[in-house]
Amino acid sequence: MSTEPVAYVTCGHPEVRDPDLELALATFARLGVPAEAVDWADPAVDWSRFGLALVRSPWDYIARREEFLAWARRVSALTVLANPAPVLEHNTDKTYLWELAEAGVAVVPTVWVAPGGELSADAAPWPELVVKPTVSSGARDTVRTTDRAEAVAHVKALTDAGRTAMVQPYLPMVEEEGETSLLFLGGRFSHAVRRGPMLVGRTTFEDVAREPAADQLALAEQVLAAVPERDALLYARVDLVRTADGAPVLIELELTEPRLFLGHHPEAAERLVRAAAAARR
């Protein structure tokens, strides 16, 4: 087995804090796997000295996605990148949800508006709307509103800037049951977390461990089965919510830089470290 170090890829932004970083690095050390946190945008880094570049929290890339993807392609020529560069390129644009819906996956209903288009009068017939760009993270550039004129205006602002907009119904179940995030490490289901809503006017939410229901686990497996690179995924997070009829639907499939909630399961950090160690060149 390789003894080369693992690069835990993060970012140097002073306001970015990775809740998984400390536990992950401590677990690498405990298991005797050399690892260090590395800023993806640091031009002085010699990526060839690492046996694996593990993409974890490069959370400042959104404003410079093309630079980030160029970095991923460059690093892929020097060492193993997890997840692989083609996965990162595809997953950082939420139009992948349209492809999953076309493949038969239950996805939150979505209206897509490309640059040059507009939100038509008969589209998105829901009482409360969420409007966001297809390239974003968290709730950045996202609007939740019952005012259709506001939704139309936000769509126009996004498309005028050359961005594709996505319009979805706001699902009240996120405030009741919350989102369920299912975490997969090393190709296997690891643990699940109940996450609080992001668009309800609060700034802090309690994320707690949750045992997923059978229908949630089945949908998560269906989602991942539709990913062509499934076998190459070192980590994945499948975010689900229930609709008014109780059925689970996919909100997002996070294959780029999801928080993995390693502290929410006693074996999660070790599972990640062992999968990373085995993936080294």
Side-chain angles (χ1 to χ4, degrees), residues 23 77 80 126 198 231 253 256 265:
L23 176 57
V80 178
W126 306 299
M198 302 184 69
D231 292 342
L253 171 61
T256 303
H265 190 283

Side-chain angles (χ1 to χ4, degrees), residues 47-112:
W47 296 98
S48 67
R49 74 181 181 87
F50 296 102
L52 172 73
L54 177 62
V55 179
R56 290 306 319 118
S57 49
W59 293 332
D60 60 351
Y61 83 90
I62 288 295
R64 40 185 179 151
R65 175 175 176 257
E66 293 307 317
E67 179 185 347
F68 174 70
L69 295 178
W71 166 85
R73 291 188 290 268
R74 184 171 68 255
V75 171
S76 294
L78 300 173
T79 188
V80 178
L81 181 68
N83 284 327
V87 172
L88 304 186
E89 181 166 6
H90 192 230
N91 188 246
T92 49
D93 187 326
K94 293 182 178 63
T95 53
Y96 71 79
L97 289 169
W98 179 86
E99 297 174 6
L100 289 173
E102 288 292 297
V105 172
V107 174
V108 173
T110 306
V111 174
W112 308 91

Side-chain angles (χ1 to χ4, degrees), residues 38-208:
V38 186
D39 179 359
W40 74 272
D42 183 349
V45 175
D46 176 10
W47 296 98
S48 67
R49 74 181 181 87
F50 296 102
L52 172 73
L54 177 62
V55 179
R56 290 306 319 118
S57 49
W59 293 332
D60 60 351
Y61 83 90
I62 288 295
R64 40 185 179 151
R65 175 175 176 257
E66 293 307 317
E67 179 185 347
F68 174 70
L69 295 178
W71 166 85
R73 291 188 290 268
R74 184 171 68 255
V75 171
S76 294
L78 300 173
T79 188
V80 178
L81 181 68
N83 284 327
V87 172
L88 304 186
E89 181 166 6
H90 192 230
N91 188 246
T92 49
D93 187 326
K94 293 182 178 63
T95 53
Y96 71 79
L97 289 169
W98 179 86
E99 297 174 6
L100 289 173
E102 288 292 297
V105 172
V107 174
V108 173
T110 306
V111 174
W112 308 91
V113 186
E118 61 181 21
L119 186 62
S120 62
D122 59 345
W126 306 299
E128 190 165 11
L129 303 176
V130 175
V131 183
K132 56 188 173 183
T134 59
V135 177
S136 67
S137 66
R140 183 177 301 177
D141 297 327
T142 298
V143 169
R144 170 191 170 188
T145 182
T146 57
D147 183 345
R148 189 171 183 86
E150 182 182 8
V152 170
H154 192 54
V155 167
K156 186 176 188 304
L158 293 173
T159 57
D160 284 352
R163 307 170 78 181
T164 296
M166 51 194 299
V167 184
Q168 298 174 320
Y170 181 74
L171 300 177
M173 284 295 286
V174 300
E175 298 181 36
E176 300 167 17
E177 181 178 301
E179 294 184 24
T180 298
S181 291
L182 291 88
L183 289 303
F184 290 75
L185 302 173
R188 297 182 178 182
F189 172 70
S190 172
H191 58 292
V193 173
R194 177 204 183 277
R195 296 168 58 222
M198 302 184 69
L199 298 172
V200 296
R202 297 198 300 271
T203 57
T204 59
F205 314 102
E206 184 178 3
D207 301 315
V208 296

